[in-house]
Amino acid sequence: MRIFFLLFLLVILSQSGYTQEILKGKVGGDYAEGGKGPLAGANVFWLNSKIQTTTDPEGLFEIEKPDSVRYLITSFVGYETDTIDTKGKDFIHNHKMLSGLLEEVEIEHRVGGLEVNTLDPLNVSLVSERELQKAACCNLSESFETNPSIDVSFSDAITGTRQIQMLGLSGPNILITREMIPDLRGIGAVNGLQFYPGTWIQSMQISKGSGSVVNGFESVVGQINIELKKAESGKKAMMNVYGNAGSAMEFNGDVRSDISKRVSTASMIQLRNLSIENDNNSDGFRDMPLSNKLIALNRWKFDWGKGYFSQVGVRALFVDNEGGQLSGKINENHGVWRLNHMTQRMDVWAKTGKIWQGKPWRSTGIQLNGTFHEQNSNYGMRTYDARQRSLYFNWIYQSIISNTAHVVKMGLSYQQDNFNEQVDSIDFLRDEYVPGLFTEYTFLPNDRFTLVVGLRADHHNSYGTFLTPRLHLRYGIFEKTTIKLSAGRSLRTASIFAENQQIFASARDIRVFSQNESSPYGLDAEVSWNYGINLIQKFELDYREGALILDLYRTDFENQIVVDYDRSPQQVLFYNLNGRSYSNSIQAQLDYELINRLDMRLAYRWYDVKTQYHFDILQKPLISQHRAFINLEYKTRNYWSFDWTLNWNGSKRLPSTQSNPESFRLRANSPDFYLMNAQITKTFNERFDIYLGSENILNFRQSNPIISADDPYGEYFDASLVWAPVFGRMVYLGARLKWL
């Protein structure tokens, strides 16, 4: 795969290196504050062409000259757009632009809920607020039901925790950032998805493949960046109330205010309560834990003028879940088997930066983040308590080399984590310190070609010094055909207990095969390479636009922490990889507007995810190899909106339980199944709408999701092998009220 990638890169680079005629020139104008001189950052482009550039600090520019075009356009904010006839010229001498007011222009564009960016060299999909409102979206883990790139499943039959997968690998392999600051790591890597209420999210960017080195070295298969509602823009206030048939009630609210022309603030809150027991499969266990949740956030934006700005924010949360057996259950020699899970967390962050006036390509910024996370859990007789304290610093500087065809970023970072975990009576302590530096170069010679090359050098106090190279390439083969390539290395510490908390909802004996006392858990770091190809073909059919998207990705692990459920149904083993581990992923997606206001998204994806276990290389368990997806959205002229999604999930391999007594054995593979969701929304005006929806309309659920449910303190008890929903059909109703 690496050889193929390098060969392809050489071909593309050779294609971009053809000889071309270059036109040079200089642009100037009168300044608003008086005087005249060069205009830095003015746009320069050819008439009826996408070839463009901008002027440097001296007003100078260089631009590729096509054979068939002679008229050059110059534009700049506050100046009249001008046209230059370049016939017979090889240099434009000090072209002067005239200052003037721009006429108001109204631009309309029908923005899709999920948009693919063909100009970004990274494979990024933008998920808008409109897309998030297609489902209940109580929290981030429920925000991907209409997205074919993210798989969502329940981690076990007790906690109600939803976990995500991308390119065949679990959520901790995805870098999750809050406005480009790494966020859900360590203890919160899986459970933390519930810490982001869906109504707080303004948009998300889902990026497949290795990301930018600017955001760190931990991204294995992709990145999800969450943009929260801003203090300085958007609606003045919003209130959302939600209730479902499972007795869960939620209140979400946010309000923002402009304190002055330069100071803005916003506050957000979520309250959730679930206080009625549900046991739809009659196994004596609550299908969802009883829950009380309070999450609050406050943020500020300061515009100091002259290009200086700052942001600060704080988020605090308290979550108390109680699951397990129904009240009144009696177990011989023991009490009721209960899950008690209490989480307290606080995040404090700050950003400050400067953009040079008249030089929009030059900027610098600092990101700071501090996290305190404490979790206290009891699963029957088992205990898992954990505490994490983290500090993050990142300084970024961006500028150009000569002109905007050469953009360079560089910076320094520092990540510090302190973990204290207690599993039953055993303590696992670790401190990690990682200072690092990075640089990233972007080559953008024209609108068809972009090359991004990045390199990080970091030093981990346990793993030593390591390098993280990343590469992204974009090439516009034709006007509507774009191909993107990516390759990159990553390194991360696997928080083996926090990322696999479902193991505590079982009687399995936990064994860690430590090899190096100086490393976290005595295990090595997870090191991997990810390679990807993304092809986007846009088209127009019957006067409507559509897009066909094809993704091919492979992840190869140099080392991985293997989680082995197959050795024995009474054990779970953690050890370093000794052999091969990889994930292949292919996805095809078709987006098209079938008729007016009826959008269709059709997708199919295939996974091949295998790992070397002690005795054999096996398909990873509980991962569906095949998945097909269709989503339809229709809006009427009188503001009714209908959204319908159908998922087909193929069979999943189940860990071996053959050594159990026959009544406690599972099949080797799960059956395939369908999940159907739908929602109807009525928008009465721009301030008020209501929505009614249902999840799992076909009422499919895993029968007997808990092995030995009648004997939760017995040696065969296991609630960790969940391959389908535990809760059946769920109907919900909600309303949104906005103040503009």
Side-chain angles (χ1 to χ4, degrees), residues 255-317:
V255 58
R256 74 163 203 92
S257 175
D258 296 320
I259 304 300
S260 69
K261 187 177 179 181
R262 297 188 179 277
V263 181
S264 305
T265 184
S267 299
M268 308 172 202
I269 190 170
Q270 183 188 60
L271 299 167
R272 177 183 172 88
N273 174 264
L274 195 161
S275 55
I276 297 177
E277 296 180 322
N278 293 278
D279 181 21
N280 290 326
N281 55 15
S282 303
D283 63 359
F285 277 75
R286 295 168 179 168
D287 295 337
M288 300 290 288
L290 306 185
S291 176
N292 286 295
K293 180 162 68 173
L294 167 62
I295 309 178
L297 181 148
N298 177 244
R299 66 183 307 170
W300 292 77
K301 171 74 179 293
F302 304 92
D303 183 352
W304 307 109
K306 296 184 178 179
Y308 290 92
F309 64 90
S310 300
Q311 297 184 51
V312 295
V314 58
R315 176 183 61 175
L317 63 90

Side-chain angles (χ1 to χ4, degrees), residues 49 77 85 87 102 104 108 124 131 251 288 299 312 339 402 412 421 442 531 569 576 596 613 621 648 670 679:
S49 170
V77 175
D85 186 351
K87 184 178 181 181
L102 294 174
E104 182 177 346
E108 288 190 4
V124 178
E131 181 75 13
F251 170 83
M288 300 290 288
R299 66 183 307 170
V312 295
L339 157 75
S402 180
L412 304 170
E421 296 173 279
T442 301
Y531 314 94
N576 286 324
N596 284 342
Y613 294 90
W648 171 69
S670 74
Q679 179 176 289

Side-chain angles (χ1 to χ4, degrees), residues 66-349:
D67 293 335
S68 57
V69 179
R70 59 187 279 189
Y71 294 103
L72 189 70
I73 312 296
T74 59
S75 69
F76 196 71
V77 175
Y79 290 81
E80 293 182 2
T81 299
D82 207 352
T83 303
I84 307 169
D85 186 351
T86 66
K87 184 178 181 181
K89 300 177 181 176
D90 56 9
F91 191 92
I92 307 300
H93 293 278
N94 201 25
H95 176 70
K96 183 180 177 182
M97 297 182 65
L98 301 176
S99 60
L101 296 176
L102 294 174
E103 295 181 358
E104 182 177 346
V105 177
E106 185 173 331
I107 300 174
E108 288 190 4
H109 172 60
R110 184 170 178 263
V111 179
L114 180 64
E115 293 222 330
V116 178
N117 189 339
T118 57
L119 298 178
D120 195 322
L122 278 66
N123 182 7
V124 178
S125 298
L126 174 66
V127 181
S128 66
E129 187 175 8
R130 170 189 155 190
E131 181 75 13
L132 294 169
Q133 291 179 353
K134 286 183 176 180
C137 284
C138 298
N139 58 61
L140 181 61
S141 67
E142 299 170 328
S143 302
F144 305 105
E145 292 179 353
T146 59
N147 192 309
S149 298
I150 305 290
D151 294 273
V152 182
S153 62
F154 287 93
S155 65
D156 58 75
I158 303 290
T159 64
T161 302
R162 298 191 192 211
Q163 58 185 2
I164 61 174
Q165 294 174 349
M166 179 191 286
L167 305 183
L169 297 176
S170 60
N173 294 284
I174 307 168
L175 176 64
I176 296 181
T177 56
R178 177 199 340 108
E179 299 175 354
M180 293 301 177
I181 295 177
D183 188 22
L184 301 181
R185 306 169 54 256
I187 297 173
V190 175
N191 292 339
L193 295 175
Q194 63 176 309
F195 303 155
Y196 281 105
T199 59
W200 292 10
I201 300 172
Q202 178 176 287
S203 65
M204 286 191 294
Q205 296 90 44
I206 299 176
S207 171
K208 288 183 181 178
S210 57
S212 167
V213 295
V214 175
N215 301 125
F217 49 84
E218 295 182 324
S219 169
V220 177
V221 293
Q223 178 177 342
I224 298 175
N225 181 55
I226 304 160
E227 292 291 334
L228 299 172
K229 290 182 175 177
K230 308 303 180 190
E232 70 277 14
S233 61
K235 301 175 181 64
K236 293 292 185 185
M238 193 280 289
M239 181 178 70
N240 176 73
V241 291
Y242 164 93
N244 67 30
S247 80
M249 297 295 297
E250 268 192 22
F251 170 83
N252 298 278
D254 59 78
V255 58
R256 74 163 203 92
S257 175
D258 296 320
I259 304 300
S260 69
K261 187 177 179 181
R262 297 188 179 277
V263 181
S264 305
T265 184
S267 299
M268 308 172 202
I269 190 170
Q270 183 188 60
L271 299 167
R272 177 183 172 88
N273 174 264
L274 195 161
S275 55
I276 297 177
E277 296 180 322
N278 293 278
D279 181 21
N280 290 326
N281 55 15
S282 303
D283 63 359
F285 277 75
R286 295 168 179 168
D287 295 337
M288 300 290 288
L290 306 185
S291 176
N292 286 295
K293 180 162 68 173
L294 167 62
I295 309 178
L297 181 148
N298 177 244
R299 66 183 307 170
W300 292 77
K301 171 74 179 293
F302 304 92
D303 183 352
W304 307 109
K306 296 184 178 179
Y308 290 92
F309 64 90
S310 300
Q311 297 184 51
V312 295
V314 58
R315 176 183 61 175
L317 63 90
F318 171 81
V319 181
D320 185 11
N321 290 338
E322 183 186 283
Q325 287 187 297
L326 299 172
S327 301
K329 274 283 184 180
I330 298 176
N331 302 292
E332 190 175 349
N333 300 325
H334 298 285
V336 176
W337 195 101
R338 279 287 163 75
L339 157 75
N340 293 291
H341 190 138
M342 183 181 297
T343 303
Q344 301 175 78
R345 178 179 172 117
M346 177 173 286
D347 299 279
V348 181
W349 67 91

Side-chain angles (χ1 to χ4, degrees), residues 533-644:
I533 302 174
N534 167 236
L535 180 67
I536 304 170
Q537 177 64 58
K538 293 197 170 184
F539 62 88
E540 187 173 304
L541 179 64
D542 194 22
Y543 304 103
R544 298 185 184 88
E545 292 186 343
L548 178 63
I549 304 162
L550 181 63
D551 292 336
L552 296 92
Y553 284 88
R554 178 179 174 90
T555 306
D556 270 317
F557 283 90
E558 294 180 5
N559 184 59
Q560 187 180 32
I561 307 306
V562 178
V563 185
D564 189 345
Y565 284 84
D566 286 277
R567 174 73 72 88
S568 165
Q570 278 71 57
Q571 292 180 336
V572 58
L573 314 179
F574 295 92
Y575 49 82
N576 286 324
L577 177 67
N578 183 18
R580 301 168 61 202
S581 182
Y582 62 86
S583 171
N584 293 320
S585 169
I586 299 175
Q587 178 174 309
Q589 178 179 329
L590 174 65
D591 292 345
Y592 183 62
E593 184 183 6
L594 288 173
I595 58 174
N596 284 342
R597 302 182 303 283
L598 175 59
D599 291 325
M600 177 193 71
R601 181 173 304 134
L602 193 63
Y604 167 79
R605 71 111 181 94
W606 171 82
Y607 286 156
D608 177 28
V609 188
K610 289 184 177 176
T611 298
Q612 177 69 52
Y613 294 90
H614 266 301
F615 301 107
D616 201 358
I617 186 166
L618 299 173
Q619 199 77 27
K620 270 209 164 184
L622 302 174
I623 294 177
S624 177
Q625 196 166 15
H626 303 274
R627 180 190 174 199
F629 170 99
I630 183 170
N631 172 257
L632 298 175
E633 180 193 16
Y634 180 67
K635 288 190 173 183
T636 68
R637 295 185 184 278
N638 56 351
Y639 305 108
W640 285 89
S641 177
F642 302 87
D643 192 89
W644 175 82

Side-chain angles (χ1 to χ4, degrees), residues 266-554:
S267 299
M268 308 172 202
I269 190 170
Q270 183 188 60
L271 299 167
R272 177 183 172 88
N273 174 264
L274 195 161
S275 55
I276 297 177
E277 296 180 322
N278 293 278
D279 181 21
N280 290 326
N281 55 15
S282 303
D283 63 359
F285 277 75
R286 295 168 179 168
D287 295 337
M288 300 290 288
L290 306 185
S291 176
N292 286 295
K293 180 162 68 173
L294 167 62
I295 309 178
L297 181 148
N298 177 244
R299 66 183 307 170
W300 292 77
K301 171 74 179 293
F302 304 92
D303 183 352
W304 307 109
K306 296 184 178 179
Y308 290 92
F309 64 90
S310 300
Q311 297 184 51
V312 295
V314 58
R315 176 183 61 175
L317 63 90
F318 171 81
V319 181
D320 185 11
N321 290 338
E322 183 186 283
Q325 287 187 297
L326 299 172
S327 301
K329 274 283 184 180
I330 298 176
N331 302 292
E332 190 175 349
N333 300 325
H334 298 285
V336 176
W337 195 101
R338 279 287 163 75
L339 157 75
N340 293 291
H341 190 138
M342 183 181 297
T343 303
Q344 301 175 78
R345 178 179 172 117
M346 177 173 286
D347 299 279
V348 181
W349 67 91
K351 290 181 178 180
T352 188
K354 171 182 169 57
I355 300 175
W356 270 257
Q357 287 186 307
K359 302 175 181 177
W361 61 84
R362 182 176 297 172
S363 62
T364 187
I366 292 175
Q367 301 171 323
L368 287 168
N369 189 76
T371 297
F372 172 80
H373 186 126
E374 184 170 8
Q375 170 184 326
N376 297 287
S377 313
N378 291 297
Y379 297 75
M381 302 286 286
R382 312 186 77 159
T383 299
Y384 175 61
D385 294 335
R387 187 179 63 205
Q388 174 182 350
R389 289 176 295 188
S390 296
L391 178 65
Y392 175 76
F393 165 86
N394 199 30
W395 169 69
I396 309 167
Y397 174 77
Q398 173 177 317
S399 188
I400 60 174
I401 302 173
S402 180
N403 57 55
T404 54
H406 308 274
V407 179
V408 63
K409 294 179 183 177
M410 61 188 74
L412 304 170
S413 67
Y414 179 72
Q415 177 74 52
Q416 178 176 333
D417 298 295
N418 170 269
F419 294 92
N420 185 345
E421 296 173 279
Q422 184 180 55
V423 179
D424 295 329
S425 59
I426 303 174
D427 289 325
F428 293 85
L429 308 176
R430 72 180 201 265
D431 292 306
E432 298 185 56
Y433 308 92
V434 192
L437 52 89
F438 59 86
T439 183
E440 186 176 84
Y441 167 72
T442 301
F443 179 48
L444 182 61
N446 51 57
D447 64 339
R448 295 179 62 186
F449 182 82
T450 310
L451 174 68
V452 181
V453 181
L455 180 66
R456 292 188 63 94
D458 297 272
H459 180 80
H460 191 284
N461 58 310
S462 296
Y463 308 134
T465 302
F466 60 95
L467 298 177
T468 307
R470 302 274 173 89
L471 182 145
H472 296 88
L473 186 150
R474 168 192 161 274
Y475 185 65
I477 302 173
F478 304 108
E479 182 181 0
K480 295 187 176 182
T481 308
T482 303
I483 189 169
K484 302 179 183 181
L485 307 179
S486 68
R489 185 176 188 262
S490 64
L491 181 146
R492 63 181 291 271
T493 298
S495 296
I496 59 173
F497 302 122
E499 295 172 11
N500 300 279
Q501 294 188 46
Q502 66 273 15
I503 61 176
F504 300 114
S506 73
R508 290 175 180 262
D509 180 35
I510 301 170
R511 302 187 63 186
V512 181
F513 289 82
S514 302
Q515 295 181 329
N516 184 352
E517 292 184 357
S518 64
S519 298
Y521 310 107
L523 301 170
D524 295 335
E526 290 194 334
V527 180
S528 62
W529 286 85
N530 180 277
Y531 314 94
I533 302 174
N534 167 236
L535 180 67
I536 304 170
Q537 177 64 58
K538 293 197 170 184
F539 62 88
E540 187 173 304
L541 179 64
D542 194 22
Y543 304 103
R544 298 185 184 88
E545 292 186 343
L548 178 63
I549 304 162
L550 181 63
D551 292 336
L552 296 92
Y553 284 88
R554 178 179 174 90

